């Protein structure tokens, strides 16, 4: 990547200052970006609040949906600190690929991961009971960290608000389910993290619910 | 099963009916079908329906799960004698680097899948796809405009003008841009004076948590003006200098630029007055706070705090709220030292205010975050036993129980 960066910065490099918009939700978009330096947050305005969906750092790509699609941006990208990016117009994509196949490989990795994340989220959303959805969100978060030992306690750095957003439910409802799980001693709930006592328990519940879903 | 090498890449032969991998297996191998037949069987997640798909000769399979490092989503089984090439990720990378067309084709397939998935997710969530991007773009501008985040608002309005120059809101978007550029409205001072990230994040809990979290010892605070936390000490007036920002004043007196505010009411909420009161200024900070934009919120709150204790009782309530929400903002930013300073101020000086119980609860949370369990429980207990009883009492009880279990 470094080789690519140095060679291309003169032509494609752009810099942003903290809190500056790189692109805005619903704006037509024809470019995609590689972060060279700094942090970029991906946000959406939901119910008149700015929600941060993701924070990206050097080496990450964003705006990549514009490469192959005609849709307006589905989220905003905002510089968190001083940000340096390479900005490519999709018309240059083929040329860029020819010259930089490693970029293509990187995009394949990104797409693979995003497809899985979207599928996994859909699996959660398709569950019916809120309690079960919340459990499956916790499983998903645990899965994202391959070094976790599922036999022991698992600490997830997340909040009720984030769980709610994954589960597609109101924060108060997610909070209610999490409080219940605390009461029955399945999890410990903290301001910034959730400790799951036995994630295997949750997995058993979800597996059986999922079987019933289709039968 | 027979294995052999071919230019570093393994060739593997399977008998008919062999399983190459099962659904849910974890593996980093990617396959290319060389000869024979391979059938992929997977379950559609939205219908539970079983789908079978045959791999064509020369095609890759097992790519996404290997690259994304997640479990296999399908079972791959051979039909008849079959030979496959087995690649690890490095082999795969080397191979595709020589053949960009393959990558382009894969990207197209992946992109399609992603779009279809996104659509299904939105349907399940009940979000409609029938939005007008122009109206929505304008709304984004309005959101930032009302939140006082004028740089972002200007960006959105300018893009609106660029892409949708002759649509419903173009005049209004133009007006907004003019209002902002002429310094209209009261600006969120945030963008000008946001605290440096370093100030907020350099606090290390391990190094000086004793100093910060002990209520009995003299806390080692940077500024003398900050209160300490010994409850028995004499309450003193905040010796914080009352320095009103002069730029702010200039803005506030400049009411002729505010004309454009009132003529449009997008969702009925835009309040437009020429002289922002303390309450209105607080609301600007509070709306940043609600959007989890704690740094901007802190800039506004600290301006209010720095102006000193207001005379009117109603303003005093806002002043206390500014202290309280500063404390909470610092807590959210994990700057526990400052969180403690601000919440401690309420506990010390405004113990009869409405924010007292919540402040105690947060102080408990600060100690909990610092793994000082006993102190945390002490504070939660204060809340749990305080009357009149409300939801905070039971929240405190819950927190005590959680802590006692850990």
């Amino acid at each position: 990547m470094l080789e690519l960066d140095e060679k291309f910065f003169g032509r494609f490099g752009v810099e942003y200052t903290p809190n500056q918009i790189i692109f805005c939700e619903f704006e037509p978009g024809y470019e995609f970006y590689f972060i060279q330096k700094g942090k970029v947050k991906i946000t959406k305005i939901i119910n008149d609040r700015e929600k941060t969906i993701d924070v990206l750092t050097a080496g990450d790509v964003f705006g990549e949906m514009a490469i192959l699609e005609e849709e307006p941006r589905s989220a905003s990208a905002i510089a968190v600190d001083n940000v340096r990016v390479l900005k490519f117009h999709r018309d240059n994509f083929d040329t860029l690929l020819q010259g930089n196949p490693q970029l293509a490989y990187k995009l394949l990795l990104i797409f693979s991961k995003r497809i899985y994340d979207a599928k996994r989220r859909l699996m959660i959303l398709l569950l019916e009971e809120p309690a079960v959805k919340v459990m499956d969100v916790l499983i998903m978060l645990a899965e994202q960290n391959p070094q976790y030992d599922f036999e022991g306690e698992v600490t997830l750095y997340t909040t009720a608000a984030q769980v709610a957003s994954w589960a597609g439910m109101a924060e108060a409802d997610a909070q209610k389910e999490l409080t219940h799980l605390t009461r029955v001693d399945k999890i410990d709930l903290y301001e910034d993290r959730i400790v799951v006592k036995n994630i295997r328990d949750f997995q058993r519940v979800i597996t059986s619910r999922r079987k019933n879903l289709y039968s | 099963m027979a294995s052999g090498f071919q230019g570093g890449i393994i060739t593997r032969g399977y008998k008919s009916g062999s399983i190459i991998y099962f659904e849910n297996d974890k593996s980093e191998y990617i396959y290319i079908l060389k000869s024979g037949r391979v059938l992929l069987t997977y379950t559609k997640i939205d219908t539970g329906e079983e789908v079978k798909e045959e791999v064509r000769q020369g095609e890759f399979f097992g790519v996404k799960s290997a690259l994304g490092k997640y479990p296999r989503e399908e079972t791959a089984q051979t039909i008849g004698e079959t030979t496959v090439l087995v690649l690890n990720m490095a082999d795969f990378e080397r191979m595709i680097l020589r053949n960009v067309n393959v990558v382009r084709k894969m990207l197209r397939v992946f992109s399609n899948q992603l779009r279809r998935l996104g659509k299904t997710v939105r349907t399940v969530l009940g979000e409609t796809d029938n939005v007008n991007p122009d109206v929505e773009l304008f709304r984004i501008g309005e959101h930032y405009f009302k939140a006082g985040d004028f740089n972002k608002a200007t960006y959105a309005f300018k893009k609106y003008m660029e892409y949708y120059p002759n649509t419903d809101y173009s005049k209004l978007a133009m007006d907004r841009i003019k209002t902002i550029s002429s310094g209209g409205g009261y600006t969120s001072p945030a963008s000008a004076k946001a605290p440096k990230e370093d100030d907020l994040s350099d606090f290390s809990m391990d190094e000086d948590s004793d100093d910060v979290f002990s209520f009995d010892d003299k806390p080692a605070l940077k500024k003398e003006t900050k209160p300490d936390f010994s409850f028995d000490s004499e309450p003193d007036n905040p010796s914080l200098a009352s320095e009103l920002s002069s730029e702010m004043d200039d803005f506030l007196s400049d009411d002729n630029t505010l004309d454009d505010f009132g003529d449009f009411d997008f969702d009925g909420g835009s309040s437009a007055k020429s002289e922002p009161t303390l309450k209105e200024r607080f609301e600007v900070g509070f709306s940043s706070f609600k959007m989890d934009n704690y740094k901007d919120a802190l800039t506004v709150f600290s301006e209010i705090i720095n102006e000193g204790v207001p005379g009117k009782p109603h303003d005093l309530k806002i002043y206390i709220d500014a202290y309280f929400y500063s404390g909470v903002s610092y807590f959210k930013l994990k700057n526990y030292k400052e969180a403690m300073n601000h919440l401690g101020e309420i506990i010390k000086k405004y113990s009869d205010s409405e924010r007292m119980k919540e402040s105690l609860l947060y102080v408990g949370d600060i100690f909990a975050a610092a793994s000082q369990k006993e102190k945390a429980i002490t504070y939660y207990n204060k809340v749990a036993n305080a009357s009149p009883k409300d939801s905070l009492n039971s929240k405190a009880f819950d927190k005590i129980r959680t802590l006692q279990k850990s």
Side-chain angles (χ1 to χ4, degrees):
Chain A
M1 281 308 295
L2 251 178
E3 225 178 307
L4 168 92
D5 292 352
E6 293 312 317
K7 199 165 58 186
F8 278 81
F9 190 75
R11 242 178 97 196
F12 300 107
V14 189
E15 295 189 339
Y16 295 90
T17 52
N19 214 25
Q20 195 179 351
I21 293 198
I22 300 168
F23 58 70
C24 181
E25 196 179 347
F26 297 109
E27 170 190 335
Y30 309 98
E31 287 101 3
F32 63 104
Y33 301 77
F34 269 75
I35 306 176
Q36 287 197 303
K37 196 193 104 189
K39 278 190 233 165
V40 174
K41 63 175 178 179
I42 306 298
T43 67
K44 267 175 95 77
I45 306 289
I46 298 167
N47 296 331
D48 213 27
R49 286 193 187 193
E50 186 186 85
K51 294 261 181 200
T52 299
I53 300 166
D54 208 351
V55 177
L56 305 173
T57 53
D60 283 330
V61 175
F62 61 97
E64 73 284 349
M65 292 306 281
I67 301 169
L68 303 155
E69 298 203 347
E70 294 284 347
E71 306 276 323
R73 302 289 187 191
S74 58
S76 300
I78 300 170
V80 175
D81 43 17
N82 286 310
V83 169
R84 216 164 91 132
V85 298
L86 297 174
K87 173 179 176 178
F88 299 109
H89 195 277
R90 66 172 181 195
D91 291 350
N92 301 330
F93 184 59
D94 280 354
T95 332
L96 194 67
L97 277 195
Q98 293 296 348
N100 306 276
Q102 69 272 42
L103 189 145
Y105 180 69
K106 175 124 201 166
L107 285 172
L108 274 185
L109 293 181
I110 289 169
F111 273 102
S112 300
K113 187 159 178 349
R114 295 210 178 147
I115 289 171
Y116 181 70
D117 289 346
K119 267 191 191 166
R120 190 66 185 83
R121 170 133 200 252
L122 188 55
M123 287 170 77
I124 294 169
L125 295 173
L126 289 167
L127 291 165
E128 277 157 6
E129 301 142 84
V132 181
K133 279 188 189 175
V134 166
M135 277 188 213
D136 201 24
V137 170
L138 298 178
I139 296 173
M140 177 209 67
L141 293 171
E143 287 165 353
Q144 286 177 348
N145 229 324
Q147 66 267 32
Y148 277 145
D149 172 14
F150 278 20
E151 302 306 328
E153 277 191 356
V154 170
T155 302
L156 307 167
Y157 287 88
T158 187
T159 60
Q162 282 167 342
V163 171
S165 145
W166 278 105
M169 45 205 278
E171 189 179 334
D173 295 337
Q175 185 68 55
K176 207 177 108 198
E177 298 302 340
L178 290 169
T179 309
H180 176 74
L181 288 172
T182 310
R183 291 237 163 83
V184 295
D185 208 24
K186 297 287 184 196
I187 63 169
D188 284 335
L189 189 57
Y190 300 91
E191 196 76 35
D192 64 334
R193 63 192 193 279
I194 296 171
V195 177
V196 181
K197 304 287 178 64
N198 186 345
I199 204 105
R200 294 269 184 239
D201 261 6
F202 286 8
Q203 286 178 314
R204 275 188 284 275
V205 172
I206 300 298
T207 309
S208 96
R209 288 308 150 97
R210 221 163 244 141
K211 272 186 195 142
N212 293 338
L213 210 56
Y214 306 125
S215 56
Chain B
M1 192 197 320
S3 291
F5 282 94
Q6 185 196 322
I9 295 168
I10 299 169
T11 309
R12 196 175 281 169
Y14 289 92
K15 287 188 180 138
S16 183
S18 305
I19 302 287
I20 301 176
Y21 56 77
F22 280 107
E23 187 180 343
N24 288 327
D25 281 356
K26 276 190 175 175
S27 149
E28 59 161 40
Y29 291 111
I30 292 169
Y31 302 87
I32 301 174
L33 177 60
K34 203 176 165 195
S35 66
R37 292 172 69 193
V38 171
L39 200 61
L40 305 178
T41 307
Y42 61 93
T43 312
K44 278 184 102 174
I45 48 179
D46 46 348
T47 58
E49 174 191 350
E50 198 169 81
V51 183
K52 290 185 192 298
E53 201 177 286
E54 195 168 334
V55 181
R56 276 174 290 195
Q57 283 186 13
E59 268 186 352
F60 289 92
F61 58 102
V63 177
K64 261 187 314 193
S65 49
L67 294 183
K69 298 192 197 306
Y70 53 80
R72 301 289 190 197
E73 296 179 303
E74 70 280 332
T75 297
Q77 189 172 18
T78 59
I79 302 171
E81 293 278 321
T82 299
T83 312
V84 299
L85 300 179
V86 186
L87 291 74
N88 63 27
M89 282 177 64
D91 298 328
F92 175 74
E93 187 177 355
R94 268 194 301 278
M95 183 177 266
I96 64 157
L97 291 190
R98 292 196 303 263
N99 196 340
V100 172
N101 285 331
V102 173
V103 183
R104 191 179 300 125
K105 199 176 147 198
M106 280 184 182
L107 279 175
R108 211 165 284 278
V109 171
F110 285 5
S111 172
N112 265 321
Q113 289 180 358
L114 197 52
R115 182 172 39 190
R116 278 205 307 272
L117 271 166
K119 210 167 178 166
T120 315
V121 167
R122 285 194 296 278
T123 310
V124 172
L125 284 173
E127 291 171 9
T128 164
D129 267 355
N130 300 326
V131 293
N132 297 326
D134 56 332
V135 177
E136 295 302 324
L137 182 57
F138 183 81
R139 266 181 198 279
I140 303 283
E142 280 294 286
H143 168 85
Y144 287 123
F145 185 74
K146 286 183 186 167
D149 199 336
F150 293 144
N151 287 335
K152 289 182 193 154
T154 304
Y155 180 95
F157 289 136
K158 281 193 173 158
K159 286 292 167 184
Y160 182 86
M161 295 302 295
E162 182 182 337
Y163 291 109
Y164 313 107
N166 296 312
T167 42
D168 299 356
Y169 301 115
S170 48
K171 183 187 169 297
L172 195 59
M174 201 62 214
D175 286 350
R176 290 284 197 246
I177 294 168
K178 278 190 213 147
T179 306
I180 294 168
S181 63
S182 62
Y186 49 97
T187 182
S188 150
S191 44
K193 282 196 181 172
K196 277 188 209 145
E197 184 153 36
D198 286 349
D199 297 339
L200 298 171
S201 57
D202 67 359
F203 172 66
S204 155
M205 199 119 89
D206 300 328
E207 279 167 28
D208 51 5
S209 60
D210 272 348
D211 290 346
V212 174
F213 295 109
S214 161
F215 270 52
D216 310 317
D217 308 332
K218 268 250 179 281
L221 298 173
K222 281 178 197 160
K223 289 177 195 156
E224 289 185 336
T225 51
K226 299 287 175 185
D228 68 32
F229 297 113
S230 45
F231 280 110
D232 48 6
S233 74
E234 291 282 313
D236 50 355
N237 283 327
S239 47
L240 302 165
S242 164
E243 43 177 65
L244 193 70
S245 155
S246 57
E247 303 101 86
M248 193 77 173
D249 264 351
D250 291 343
F251 264 126
L252 304 187
S253 57
D254 190 11
D255 45 7
N256 58 354
T257 55
L258 292 159
D259 290 344
D260 298 349
F261 264 82
D263 62 4
F264 178 72
D265 204 356
F266 199 78
D267 52 21
S270 149
S271 71
K273 285 181 193 163
S274 49
E275 293 263 339
T277 59
L278 189 66
K279 181 165 192 292
E280 285 170 329
R281 287 168 49 208
F282 175 83
E283 289 297 332
V284 172
F286 191 59
S287 75
S288 298
F289 175 86
K290 282 192 293 189
M291 286 185 293
D292 303 345
N293 189 352
Y294 302 116
K295 288 196 213 166
D296 286 355
L298 278 168
T299 311
V300 178
F301 294 151
S302 55
E303 294 239 355
I304 294 175
I305 292 170
N306 286 340
E307 285 163 24
V309 186
K312 295 182 214 154
H314 184 74
D315 283 351
L316 179 65
K317 199 165 165 273
I318 294 167
Y319 174 81
I320 294 171
D321 275 355
Y323 253 108
F324 176 73
Y325 285 107
S326 293
V328 179
S329 298
Y330 280 122
F331 179 80
K332 298 282 186 192
L333 291 166
K334 299 194 172 33
N335 182 341
Y336 299 121
K337 189 191 275 185
E338 283 301 326
M340 196 64 114
N341 279 342
H342 285 78
L343 296 166
E345 184 76 1
I346 295 173
I347 294 170
K348 259 179 65 184
K349 292 192 186 147
Y350 305 105
S351 56
D352 53 350
S353 82
E354 287 172 20
R355 294 294 177 200
M356 177 63 177
K357 268 167 91 176
E358 284 170 279
S359 300
L360 289 169
L361 198 65
Y362 269 107
V363 169
D365 288 345
I366 294 171
F367 281 122
S371 304
Q372 298 196 28
K373 206 162 116 182
E374 282 177 18
K375 286 192 176 172
I377 289 174
T378 308
Y379 279 86
Y380 290 147
N381 256 325
K382 286 179 204 267
V383 182
N385 297 319
S387 52
K389 305 262 185 261
D390 56 24
S391 64
L392 288 174
N393 295 61
S394 45
K395 205 169 171 185
F397 268 121
D398 288 346
K399 284 175 185 272
I400 293 170
R401 279 170 48 189
T402 307
L403 267 188
Q404 281 170 340
K405 273 185 278 172
S406 65

